[in-house]
Amino acid sequence: MTARLQGQRAAVVGGGSGIGLARARALAAAGAEVVIAGRTEARLRAAAEAAPALRWRVLDASVEAQVVAFFEAESPLDHLVLCANAGGTIGPFAGLDTAAMRAYFDNKLWAYLHALKHAGRALRPGGSVTLVNGAASQLAAPGMGALAVVNGGLDALVRPLALELAPSRVNAVAPGVVETPYWDKMDAAARASFYAAAARGVPVRRTGRAEDVADAVVFLAGNGFVTGTVLLIDGGRHLTPNLG
């Protein structure tokens, strides 16, 4: 496994923390040369200092011109991972703030669309694109309407793009509840309660870890016979929606 991607080049957009950083480290451990990109220079710098195998570059993928410049600078690539942490907007759909939803759409949906629009010219033939979406696209849950719209739209794009970008491959992962800094907006007690409830609600009886998702990304990058697939990484939540 450690040499599976030896000599290949990968970019992780949104690779400064959480799942994105775990994926970047996993790709580097598999032998790839990895650049992480995101909006926050301090976070990227800290991540690269902790993992010297990683390079970093500031990128706001919601700005199309920045995406074009990024690919021009980093081409050619063998693998592209899109893992923007756009924050999301959660709550009953009728009460969601329209401006907050537009910001979420800009920072995730449009960021991904910009990258996908221009990725083809940066990828070597036979390369891969892996989108990090979310299980909200697959599972019904109150308060997750905005997340379902964005992630569901991106899931729907995987199959046509797998045909358009062939022989390069396009896949997505849809994680369930994964313990990452995404949930730090909750206070410690509320977060612990949320994690405990999430663990009770899945057959594996635990929450996800960033490494669980990172392993799946390395698999999708390294397996040249998988494309057009959305892989659920949710501990089995989709099997037993009423469990717990």
Side-chain angles (χ1 to χ4, degrees):
M1 172 74 118
T2 55
R4 189 172 190 178
L5 304 180
Q6 193 69 44
Q8 298 183 24
R9 304 184 72 245
V12 180
V13 177
S17 66
I19 291 173
L21 179 56
R23 287 169 180 174
R25 288 172 170 167
L27 290 166
E33 175 192 337
V34 182
V35 57
I36 57 175
R39 295 182 180 88
T40 308
E41 179 176 342
R43 181 180 295 169
L44 294 167
R45 189 184 298 276
E49 287 175 354
L54 305 179
R55 294 187 299 107
W56 60 271
R57 182 182 292 272
V58 173
L59 169 66
D60 182 350
S62 69
V63 181
E64 187 172 7
Q66 290 192 28
V67 172
V68 172
F70 174 79
F71 284 137
E72 288 177 349
E74 295 297 334
S75 295
L77 293 170
D78 297 286
H79 306 288
L80 173 65
V81 179
L82 302 178
C83 190
N85 180 0
T89 180
I90 298 172
F93 197 76
L96 292 179
D97 180 76
T98 300
M101 282 196 289
R102 287 186 182 277
Y104 176 49
F105 284 27
D106 283 344
N107 291 328
K108 183 161 186 177
L109 178 62
W110 278 106
Y112 278 34
L113 293 180
H114 290 154
L116 293 167
K117 178 181 176 182
H118 298 286
R121 70 188 68 174
L123 286 173
R124 290 186 176 118
S128 76
V129 180
T130 306
L131 289 66
V132 180
N133 293 341
S137 65
Q138 307 283 324
L139 305 172
M144 297 295 178
L147 276 66
V149 169
V150 169
N151 291 304
L154 291 169
D155 282 357
L157 190 56
V158 167
R159 289 184 177 184
L161 278 186
L163 298 176
E164 290 188 20
L165 295 183
S168 293
R169 297 173 294 109
V170 181
N171 296 292
V173 294
V177 176
V178 178
E179 294 192 28
T180 70
Y182 176 86
W183 303 107
D184 287 353
K185 54 193 154 187
M186 305 170 70
D187 66 59
R191 187 166 62 248
S193 177
F194 171 72
Y195 285 157
R200 289 193 302 269
V202 295
V204 300
R205 291 298 195 270
R206 70 169 176 86
T207 52
R209 306 182 185 103
E211 292 74 17
D212 295 325
V213 187
D215 288 347
V217 170
V218 173
F219 162 73
L220 290 172
N223 190 312
F225 208 56
V226 179
T227 192
T229 294
V230 178
L231 178 61
L232 268 172
I233 308 174
D234 66 347
R237 177 70 172 78
H238 64 287
L239 300 174
T240 51
N242 297 315
L243 186 65

